[in-house]
Amino acid sequence: MRGVDAVIESRLASGVPLVGEVSRYIISAGGKRLRPALLLLVSGALGYRGDQRFNLAAVVEFIHTATLLHDDVVDDSTLRRGRPTANQQFGNAASVLVGDFLYSRAFQMMLDAGNMRVMEILAEATNVIAEGEVLQLMNMHDASIDEAGYLRVIRSKTAKLFEASTRLAAVLAGSTPEVEQACAEYGQALGTAFQVIDDVLDYDGDATEMGKNLGDDLREGKATLPLIAAMHRGSEADRAIVRRAIENGSVDDLQAIVGIVRNTGALEVARDAAAQEAQRAIDCLWHLPRNEHSEGLLQLPSSLLGRRH
């Protein structure tokens, strides 16, 4: 990760001071760096030790950071990782434009790999993520979204970059198509589990642990899995309260909705769904050699399921 940080620091350089200031503000905000870590772990598991793993790990972090900058503007978010969002600190225009800079810098860095397959993977991933963002926008305030519709969004919006990170490592290592596909599926399953747990924590955590405002998704009119499960399992009165909150983007009944989500067992339903994805990720690892890096990949799904922030 120190190697990745060195690349990030050097490639954030710009003749425009505000670009570096906004970029460093969000990148230094204490994120998990999970996507770069995945790329490094899979590279290690498959025996690849070349410097391109640092370059491409920085690329996926830049793409992820760009999506966060744009996300927070679209969602009008005020808090991320326990401190004001970049749009809150610097304004919407600066956040959007610096997000664009990070996307374009990432594409410059992709060329360094000199590998058309790498370009294909990252270009497709970036496109799918953008489609997922639009799909989520279309689904806002729609209380009729079911679990399949919810999973379609998060597999595009969140899990796709996890999938690209693990697939890239397999490509760098010159793996067989079978191993490459197993690595990609591991990333997709892990990314899906990660997002489901993230949505659970919106109703099963506190703002100080989460570093975000509880009920943010509800305020934005997002029908996440805990809400979908609560509507499916709750009484007609419960369904009406949750439906009205999603359709109006209202947090007036937040405490009542938190109670409904908890009392109907919706959190357990969502955690079970995340556990199934985690197991799907673990099952993919049979295709990888046994070593300390693949052992780390084996432990990661369980640690994600138990996270509190």
Side-chain angles (χ1 to χ4, degrees):
M1 291 305 292
R2 281 193 295 272
V4 176
D5 287 342
V7 173
I8 288 173
E9 183 62 32
S10 67
R11 298 312 293 260
L12 281 182
S14 167
V16 181
L18 184 61
V19 168
E21 191 179 354
V22 177
S23 300
R24 286 186 180 86
Y25 179 82
I26 187 166
I27 284 176
S28 66
K32 301 170 189 66
R33 298 282 174 90
L34 197 48
R35 296 150 191 84
L38 274 175
L39 196 152
L40 296 179
L41 279 170
V42 175
S43 294
L46 296 174
Y48 177 78
R49 296 289 187 276
D51 285 347
Q52 272 305 318
R53 72 193 195 277
F54 301 134
N55 181 53
L56 292 183
V59 166
V60 296
E61 187 66 8
F62 277 11
I63 292 172
H64 172 57
T65 304
T67 66
L68 296 185
L69 284 164
H70 289 169
D71 263 7
D72 286 342
V73 171
V74 170
D75 297 341
D76 198 22
S77 297
T78 59
L79 195 67
R80 179 177 289 281
R81 296 168 184 161
R83 66 177 187 170
T85 52
N87 50 301
Q88 186 82 353
Q89 193 80 358
F90 301 98
N92 286 344
S95 289
V96 170
L97 294 172
V98 173
D100 292 344
F101 166 81
L102 288 172
Y103 273 128
S104 57
R105 178 52 52 89
F107 273 83
Q108 284 181 323
M109 292 164 68
M110 287 176 212
L111 291 171
D112 294 347
N115 185 321
M116 185 55 72
R117 181 78 181 114
V118 165
M119 291 289 291
E120 286 173 356
I121 292 165
L122 285 165
E124 193 232 356
T126 308
N127 197 248
V128 168
I129 291 165
E131 287 179 338
E133 296 280 8
V134 176
L135 191 58
Q136 180 172 271
L137 188 65
M138 290 169 58
N139 291 348
M140 293 288 201
H141 306 292
D142 185 352
S144 68
I145 297 297
D146 59 8
E147 184 175 345
Y150 162 83
L151 287 173
R152 183 184 173 200
V153 169
I154 67 173
R155 287 201 170 124
S156 300
K157 185 175 176 288
T158 302
K160 190 65 184 179
L161 197 54
F162 282 76
E163 177 189 330
S165 300
T166 49
R167 188 186 290 276
L168 284 169
V171 169
L172 287 176
S175 302
T176 65
E178 182 186 37
V179 170
E180 180 189 320
Q181 187 55 39
C183 290
E185 189 175 339
Y186 174 90
Q188 189 211 50
L190 192 78
T192 304
F194 175 86
Q195 185 59 54
V196 173
I197 291 297
D198 203 56
D199 292 337
V200 165
L201 291 175
D202 208 29
Y203 299 95
D204 192 33
D206 63 69
T208 54
E209 279 190 324
M210 281 294 295
K212 63 182 281 193
N213 297 314
L214 283 181
D216 267 1
D217 288 340
L218 191 60
R219 190 178 291 105
E220 294 153 18
K222 293 178 185 172
T224 57
L225 189 53
L227 295 178
I228 293 167
M231 283 190 286
H232 182 69
R233 296 165 69 92
S235 66
E236 185 53 48
D238 291 340
R239 283 195 290 276
I241 292 170
V242 176
R243 189 183 306 116
R244 184 170 62 245
I246 292 170
E247 289 173 351
N248 297 332
S250 168
V251 290
D252 293 344
D253 294 320
L254 179 59
Q255 291 310 311
I257 290 168
V258 169
I260 291 167
V261 167
R262 292 177 178 176
N263 295 335
T264 56
L267 292 177
E268 288 72 23
V269 171
R271 286 190 183 279
D272 285 349
Q276 288 176 26
E277 292 294 325
Q279 187 58 54
R280 183 162 72 92
I282 288 167
D283 291 344
C284 295
L285 294 175
W286 291 108
H287 296 272
L288 273 64
R290 300 272 80 81
N291 53 46
E292 62 180 352
H293 294 92
S294 56
E295 183 61 32
L297 291 167
L298 189 63
Q299 293 170 12
L300 197 50
S302 299
S303 66
L304 282 186
L305 291 179
R307 74 189 181 96
R308 299 296 305 168
H309 54 81

